[in-house]
């Protein structure tokens, strides 16, 4: 029998059609929902008909993913939930009234998502959404999501500068980390969720593109230096659609600062061993271990549309940390050329290593049952022989940056 890879996309997106959220809202919110929906303006091109149906049409979605060689997916949000002015990833609630309504909207999305995942048992790991304005509410929603079978974990909202919320390193979030540790719920932090508002002029859009992944990376050093992993040893953090080539260099940088901050007093003197040590009082005890050890023991990367230069860094990133994603159904995603994208990234690498990055690691992190998925992959997955061959040329109409000329020079 031909060997085929079991491909699990660690980065896909879905959501309900606008009015289909209404039944998932408590009746007391229906009047407000009707008023909001009547003035709603779609902010995203990929939510326009007819392609928008890929977000909620279960049969179409399964067919397109299988046609792309993918048998299962981690499902992040995509459509705008009730009462939000834009994507919920980037819209904190500034007032109490808006907070109440937006929490209702996110709960509606989460309940819709549980039903959507149930339409394809074992093949969708839905990621529940929360807000951070009320940590107790967030904890309750994590418990509900676990009981409802949303195996993708929880989506950690960004806390951009000026958000009016405590920074992610704050211990105010400890109850959230504790419940995720207790229930083995992965904490996901997706790109685009933590940038401050910059405006809409051309320069602002360019600055956003340069900075957005950096702001997303901040969750790593906030939680690491904040000691969250020390206090909650089962906590797992997944950084998704932020690239992966940055990881070795950032870990080196974090390790450097950690070493300088926790340096002991110079032998035979009362003087600090480094200039930075005066800022690091108490850090060694609260962290418990250095940044590289934190990464090794607690962190993973959803390396969406992975590029060749990233794959060549897999040992420095951690082979067991890398999870490939197609970013379906976004324009920058690899569909319908995921096989070609996989060849671009992985051709010539050992089969066992490819198998880990394209599916095995995601199965372990999100609890997919490979005994269920392998028979499907035996029918639709890319073959080992296919992925062993370098791609001679990218598809002419491919839009994913994985196929971009000179993409190997990118560092993020």
């Amino acid at each position: 029998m031909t060997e085929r890879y079991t491909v699990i996309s660690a980065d896909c997106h879905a959501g309900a059609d606008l009015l289909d959220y209404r039944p998932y809202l408590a009746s007391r919110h229906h009047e407000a929902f009707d008023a909001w929906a009547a003035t709603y303006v779609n902010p995203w091109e990929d939510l326009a008909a007819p392609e928008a149906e890929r977000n909620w049409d279960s049969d179409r979605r399964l067919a397109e993913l299988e046609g792309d060689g993918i048998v299962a997916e981690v499902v992040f949000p995509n459509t705008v939930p009730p009462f939000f002015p834009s994507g919920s990833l980037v819209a904190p609630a500034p007032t109490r009234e808006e907070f109440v309504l937006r929490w209702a909207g996110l709960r509606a999305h989460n309940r819709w998502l549980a039903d959507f995942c149930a339409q394809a048992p074992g093949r969708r790991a839905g990621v529940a959404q929360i807000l951070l304005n009320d940590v107790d509410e967030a904890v309750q929603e994590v418990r509900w999501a676990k009981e409802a079978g949303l195996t993708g974990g929880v989506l950690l909202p960004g806390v951009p500068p000026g958000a009016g919320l405590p920074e992610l390193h704050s211990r105010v979030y400890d109850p959230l980390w504790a419940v995720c540790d207790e229930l083995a719920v992965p904490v996901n932090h997706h790109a685009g969720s933590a940038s401050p508002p910059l405006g809409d002029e051309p320069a602002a859009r360019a600055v956003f593109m340069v900075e957005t992944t950096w702001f997303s990376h901040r969750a790593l050093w906030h939680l690491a230096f904040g000691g969250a992993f020390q206090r909650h040893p089962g906590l797992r953090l997944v950084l998704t659609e932020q690239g992966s080539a940055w990881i070795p260099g950032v870990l080196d940088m974090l390790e450097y600062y950690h070493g300088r901050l926790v340096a002991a007093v110079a032998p035979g003197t009362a003087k600090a061993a480094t200039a930075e040590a005066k800022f690091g009082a108490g850090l060694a005890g609260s962290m418990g271990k250095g940044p590289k050890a934190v990464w090794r023991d607690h962190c993973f990367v959803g390396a969406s549309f992975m590029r060749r230069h990233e794959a060549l860094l897999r040992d420095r990133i951690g082979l067991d940390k890398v999870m490939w994603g197609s970013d379906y159904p976004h324009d920058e995603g690899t569909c319908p050329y995921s096989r070609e994208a996989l060849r671009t990234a992985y051709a010539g690498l050992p089969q066992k290593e490819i198998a880990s990055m394209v599916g095995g690691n995601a199965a372990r992190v999100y609890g997919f049952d490979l005994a269920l998925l392998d028979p499907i992959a035996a029918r639709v997955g890319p073959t080992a022989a296919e992925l062993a061959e370098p791609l001679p040329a990218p598809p002419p109409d491919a839009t994913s940056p994985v196929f971009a000329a000179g993409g190997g020079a990118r560092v993020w």
Side-chain angles (χ1 to χ4, degrees), residues 2-5 343 346-349 351 354 381-389:
T2 302
E3 285 186 282
R4 293 181 182 268
Y5 290 106
R343 289 173 65 186
Y346 299 128
L349 301 187
Q351 289 187 30
I354 297 174
T383 68
E386 181 183 2
L387 296 199
E389 291 294 324

Side-chain angles (χ1 to χ4, degrees), residues 25-364:
L25 289 164
S27 58
R28 66 181 180 275
H29 295 306
H30 284 176
E31 183 177 350
F33 173 80
D34 293 340
W36 171 80
T39 59
Y40 168 81
V41 177
N42 169 32
W44 312 119
E45 291 183 7
D46 67 350
L47 298 183
E51 298 307 317
E53 294 176 357
R54 296 184 296 175
N55 285 283
W56 56 77
D57 186 325
S58 182
D59 291 340
R60 175 178 177 178
R61 190 178 185 95
L62 285 173
E64 292 192 0
L65 287 173
E66 287 189 7
D68 218 21
I70 298 167
V71 299
E73 55 175 330
V74 180
V75 186
F76 287 88
N78 198 39
T79 62
V80 178
F83 309 117
F84 278 79
S86 61
S88 54
L89 286 171
V90 292
T95 69
R96 180 65 190 177
E97 181 182 7
E98 288 173 317
F99 171 72
V100 169
L101 287 176
R102 291 184 190 182
W103 246 125
L106 291 193
R107 287 193 173 101
H109 171 83
N110 293 343
R111 283 141 187 79
W112 172 87
L113 183 61
D115 286 347
F116 184 68
C117 291
Q119 294 180 54
R123 300 183 67 178
R124 292 176 181 147
V127 179
Q129 297 189 79
I130 59 171
L131 289 171
L132 296 176
N133 307 56
D134 187 321
V135 176
D136 290 339
E137 292 269 10
V139 168
Q140 291 180 27
E141 193 66 5
V142 170
R143 291 193 179 279
W144 175 88
K146 180 71 174 186
E147 293 174 4
L150 290 177
T151 58
V154 62
L155 180 61
L156 179 64
V159 182
L165 296 174
E167 296 284 359
L168 285 175
H169 59 68
S170 171
R171 291 199 179 199
V172 72
Y173 301 117
D174 266 6
L176 177 60
W177 313 142
V179 73
C180 292
D181 182 355
E182 173 196 344
L183 301 178
V185 168
V187 174
N188 304 277
H189 195 55
H190 194 281
S193 64
S195 300
L198 297 168
D200 194 42
E201 58 270 21
R205 295 194 297 270
V207 169
F208 173 83
M209 291 301 297
V210 171
E211 295 182 345
T212 183
T213 51
W214 182 88
F215 276 106
S216 298
H217 304 340
R218 292 174 80 226
L220 170 60
W221 51 83
H222 273 246
L223 269 65
F225 285 127
F229 301 106
Q230 164 78 349
R231 297 188 297 277
H232 310 286
L235 186 65
R236 293 172 295 162
L237 175 67
V238 183
L239 302 171
T240 297
E241 203 177 327
Q242 306 174 29
S244 61
W246 60 274
I247 293 168
V250 164
L251 290 178
D252 286 343
M253 179 267 291
L254 296 179
E255 195 75 12
Y256 167 81
Y257 280 114
H258 175 262
R260 300 284 293 179
L261 287 163
V262 304
V265 172
T269 75
K271 185 178 180 181
T274 69
E276 297 90 346
K278 58 181 176 289
F279 299 110
L283 185 64
S286 64
M287 283 187 66
K289 51 190 170 184
K292 287 188 176 181
V294 165
W295 178 264
R296 180 195 65 216
D297 295 340
H298 301 277
C299 302
F300 303 86
V301 59
S304 309
F305 39 81
M306 197 171 188
R307 301 158 180 84
R308 180 69 177 183
H309 70 287
E310 296 174 279
L312 297 179
L313 291 170
R314 65 196 182 282
D315 290 330
R316 294 184 62 197
I317 296 168
L319 179 63
D320 61 336
K321 304 297 182 183
V322 176
M323 300 181 291
W324 179 87
S326 71
D327 198 32
Y328 177 93
H330 291 164
D331 287 343
E332 66 268 27
T334 56
C335 182
Y337 299 115
S338 290
R339 287 180 171 83
E340 290 81 359
L342 291 167
R343 289 173 65 186
T344 299
Y346 299 128
L349 301 187
Q351 289 187 30
K352 185 176 180 180
E353 296 185 5
I354 297 174
S356 294
M357 291 185 284
V358 304
N361 293 336
R364 177 167 46 86

Side-chain angles (χ1 to χ4, degrees), residues 122 125 151 236 361-370:
T151 58
R236 293 172 295 162
N361 293 336
R364 177 167 46 86
V365 172
Y366 293 106
F368 288 102
D369 183 357
L370 291 177

